[in-house]
Amino acid sequence: MSLTPVYEKYGCTQRGEEVRAQSIVECRLSDWSENRILAVSPRVLLSGAEVLSGEIRYGGKLYFSIVATAPDGTLIGAERGAEFSHKANCASAAPAQTADVELVVEKTDVRYEGRSVILSAIVTASIRLNVPVQLQYLAGGEGIVCDFRPVRIQKESTCSGTAALEEEFDTDYVGDVLLHSEQVCLTRVSCSAGCLEVSGEVNLGIFAKREGENEPVSYERLIPFRAEIACDEASAGMSCSARVHISSIQISCSCDEEKNRCRILAQIELDIRGTVSRREEVLMAADAFAPGYSYELKKSDMETEEAVCAFTAAERVSGTAAVGGEVDFSCILQSAALCNAQIGATVSEGEIMAEGVLSALVFYKDAEGAERTVPVSLPFAFPVRCDRARAGDTARISALCCGVSVRQKKEGELEAEGALKLYVTLLSGEKYTYVSEFICKEEEPENDCAVSVYVPSAGDTLWETAKKLGKTPEQVQSANPGLSFPLSGGERILVYRKKENVV
């Protein structure tokens, strides 16, 4: 009898190689050499990405918001932008793949060159390839015994869209908006028929100076949003995730001199990119053998990761901050701006430990009355309760910080306090191994003993026992109805072979 393996194929998209790349983006401010830069706020936006053979090309725009003091001490602000393109080398990259690119500004620098000021930033790209594959797996065949098990395959689809926000609010009389910063945090992501529903908040920070004065003041506004992004593959209950970035923002002010009030209008456009995941179960052979034949198995591994749950949380943090300069009681603290939170997570049983740093830039006046700035950072760590968390899971946390205040209780030290709003996504991974190829070698000589005794090992399953005996699991079970699996190791299994009559 000849063995005939039967294979089937399944098409899906798998996560490919992850790559990090960095590029330096510069912007020139002409005739700014006499101004003293106090603060630079960068914002980066991805414009597109393309996968080619051996490399990923991506591009974007980097916007700089700047606050400085003029030679006469007046606070001034400006905004500039620069486009950039870069490539990341990756040996496994191919045109049929797509790239998921996340851009982050790691560091900014200011240098003076003649009459100009050069602003530079290091932009880090975290890239994950999405690879279309055809999984080939053993589906059976004449003379081949297979151990079929369900494999949960994750099929991902992406979608994108935009949402426009408009928010008006009143403040004290403002003469000029010098700087603005934005943070985005999700509060809910869900699927319905044909669309991805995304909700969250934008924390808008505005740094300005009062009308007729050179005193800075900062304002903060939490702006909720909700958007529906068309996604043909989406249906209710599917696992999903999203990322939201601000693609453009316009700030305008109108003043009411009679009421001595200012109305600020913020027009914001959001870029939303979502992923929906459908899990399908496919029966694949985790193991196989061929009674009476020697053979070789080739196995392949597959990993999947699925969002188990997502939820919001909040925490207030405070303490002595690390100060990137010298301050004393002669300094007059004015306001905190460019507040941000970097956060990571580790998962244990029933708990997610959030660890990170809250950072801000503090504006103050020194002993001579000159405007100065100093960066502060407050490390934090706190547990977030999650009943579904298990050791080995992973968690992603996005956060925004609001209500940040800084004060000097002890000379030379700054105390910082702020509220964190978190969106936590808990992910659980699974790993599968399946037979991708069955290679039959040669027929083995048959055991001609009338009776064989098999002594099993403790913990042997029905499949392991059948494989060692060279019988199908059904044959072992029917011939030994009294056996209970897994075996204890003390059993003795008799194998009888019928003698053929020789004429």
Side-chain angles (χ1 to χ4, degrees):
M1 181 183 72
S2 62
L3 300 182
T4 309
V6 175
Y7 299 98
E8 290 187 6
K9 291 186 177 182
Y10 187 92
C12 64
T13 300
Q14 291 186 339
R15 295 187 177 186
E17 190 172 346
E18 294 185 1
V19 182
R20 284 173 61 87
Q22 289 186 323
S23 56
I24 298 177
V25 183
E26 293 189 339
C27 183
R28 180 182 294 271
L29 298 173
S30 302
D31 298 324
W32 264 63
S33 60
E34 295 182 356
N35 301 322
R36 182 163 52 86
I37 305 295
L38 295 177
V40 178
S41 174
R43 177 167 57 89
V44 66
L45 178 68
L46 177 71
S47 58
E50 182 183 15
V51 182
L52 303 174
S53 295
E55 65 181 34
I56 303 109
R57 295 182 181 178
Y58 60 92
K61 296 180 180 179
L62 183 61
Y63 299 92
F64 293 98
S65 294
I66 310 104
V67 173
T69 53
D72 61 358
T74 304
L75 286 169
I76 58 175
E79 286 191 336
R80 298 289 189 275
E83 294 186 354
F84 66 92
S85 60
H86 193 66
K87 69 176 182 178
N89 294 323
C90 178
S92 63
Q97 302 170 5
T98 59
D100 186 8
V101 182
E102 180 81 10
L103 298 179
V104 177
V105 178
E106 297 283 357
K107 183 182 178 181
T108 58
D109 187 51
V110 177
R111 73 177 189 273
Y112 291 83
E113 190 176 281
R115 293 182 56 82
S116 300
V117 173
I118 309 298
L119 305 176
S120 64
I122 297 176
V123 177
T124 298
S126 298
I127 306 170
R128 191 198 76 187
L129 291 175
N130 300 309
V131 183
V133 295
Q134 286 283 336
L135 300 178
Q136 176 178 284
Y137 59 94
L138 180 67
E142 186 178 356
I144 299 174
V145 182
C146 297
D147 179 19
F148 289 108
R149 297 185 185 178
V151 173
R152 299 178 67 190
I153 298 177
Q154 182 172 302
K155 301 188 73 172
E156 292 186 347
S157 302
T158 58
C159 56
S160 61
T162 60
L165 306 178
E166 190 171 281
E167 180 80 0
E168 276 189 313
F169 57 97
D170 291 339
T171 67
D172 296 334
Y173 207 34
V174 171
D176 188 19
V177 173
L178 301 172
L179 185 75
H180 59 84
S181 61
E182 305 80 35
Q183 303 170 68
V184 183
C185 187
L186 296 171
T187 55
R188 188 171 183 270
V189 182
S190 61
C191 279
S192 60
C195 76
L196 185 69
E197 299 175 358
V198 181
S199 302
E201 290 179 314
V202 175
N203 188 25
L204 173 62
I206 292 179
F207 185 76
K209 63 179 181 180
R210 300 181 188 276
E211 177 69 20
E213 301 177 10
N214 200 43
E215 295 292 326
V217 63
S218 60
Y219 301 99
E220 200 172 57
R221 187 77 170 182
L222 278 174
I223 306 171
F225 68 86
R226 182 180 180 278
E228 293 185 356
I229 307 301
C231 181
D232 294 337
E233 293 80 7
S235 60
M238 288 180 65
S239 176
C240 55
S241 62
R243 293 204 312 268
V244 181
H245 299 282
I246 292 176
S247 56
S248 68
I249 180 168
Q250 298 291 330
I251 307 291
S252 58
C253 299
S254 59
C255 297
D256 188 334
E257 297 183 3
E258 293 182 1
K259 296 182 179 179
N260 197 30
R261 300 289 290 174
C262 177
R263 171 155 290 190
I264 295 179
L265 172 64
Q267 296 172 303
I268 303 172
E269 186 167 295
L270 303 176
D271 175 57
I272 304 172
R273 300 175 186 271
T275 302
V276 297
S277 302
R278 184 188 301 277
R279 302 296 296 268
E280 297 184 355
E281 284 197 351
V282 180
L283 284 177
M284 294 186 177
D287 198 4
F289 68 93
Y293 288 84
S294 62
Y295 58 90
E296 179 185 346
L297 296 182
K298 290 188 178 180
K299 296 186 177 183
S300 299
D301 294 326
M302 179 172 56
E303 291 186 54
T304 61
E305 189 177 59
E306 183 179 17
V308 176
C309 63
F311 57 94
T312 58
E315 186 76 18
R316 193 157 194 87
V317 296
S318 61
T320 302
V323 183
E326 294 185 1
V327 293
D328 54 35
F329 281 146
S330 67
C331 302
I332 302 174
L333 303 183
Q334 294 171 313
S335 62
L338 303 183
C339 305
N340 194 21
Q342 301 291 329
I343 192 166
T346 55
V347 183
S348 58
E349 200 72 19
E351 187 177 88
I352 299 171
M353 179 60 69
E355 298 179 88
V357 176
L358 184 153
S359 60
L361 191 67
V362 178
F363 284 76
Y364 69 96
K365 281 189 176 181
D366 63 14
E368 285 74 38
E371 293 288 345
R372 302 287 181 182
T373 57
V374 62
V376 297
S377 56
L378 176 66
F380 58 81
F382 54 85
V384 179
R385 182 67 188 172
C386 179
D387 293 337
R388 300 183 68 177
R390 297 291 179 266
D393 291 347
T394 58
R396 290 198 299 259
I397 301 181
S398 60
L400 63 79
C401 57
C402 52
V404 176
S405 61
V406 179
R407 57 183 177 175
Q408 188 176 193
K409 296 174 67 176
K410 182 180 178 181
E411 189 164 22
E413 290 186 358
L414 295 181
E415 299 283 330
E417 183 178 14
L420 298 176
K421 292 194 169 188
L422 314 177
Y423 183 72
V424 184
T425 304
L426 179 68
L427 303 109
S428 181
E430 294 176 298
K431 182 181 288 187
Y432 301 97
T433 299
Y434 62 95
V435 178
S436 55
E437 189 175 358
F438 187 97
I439 303 170
C440 182
K441 293 188 173 180
E442 58 186 17
E443 192 171 359
E444 294 180 333
E446 186 177 355
N447 188 341
D448 56 2
C449 294
V451 179
S452 297
V453 179
Y454 169 63
V455 181
S457 302
D460 277 0
T461 64
L462 174 59
W463 171 260
E464 290 168 335
T465 304
K467 187 175 182 180
K468 290 174 181 178
L469 293 174
K471 304 291 184 181
T472 68
E474 292 78 13
Q475 289 172 333
V476 174
Q477 193 79 71
S478 62
N480 302 272
L483 290 179
S484 178
F485 294 93
L487 300 175
S488 65
E491 298 88 349
R492 298 295 182 267
I493 302 174
L494 298 178
V495 180
Y496 297 93
R497 294 179 180 84
K498 292 182 179 180
K499 279 284 189 178
E500 294 184 4
N501 293 325
V502 179
V503 177

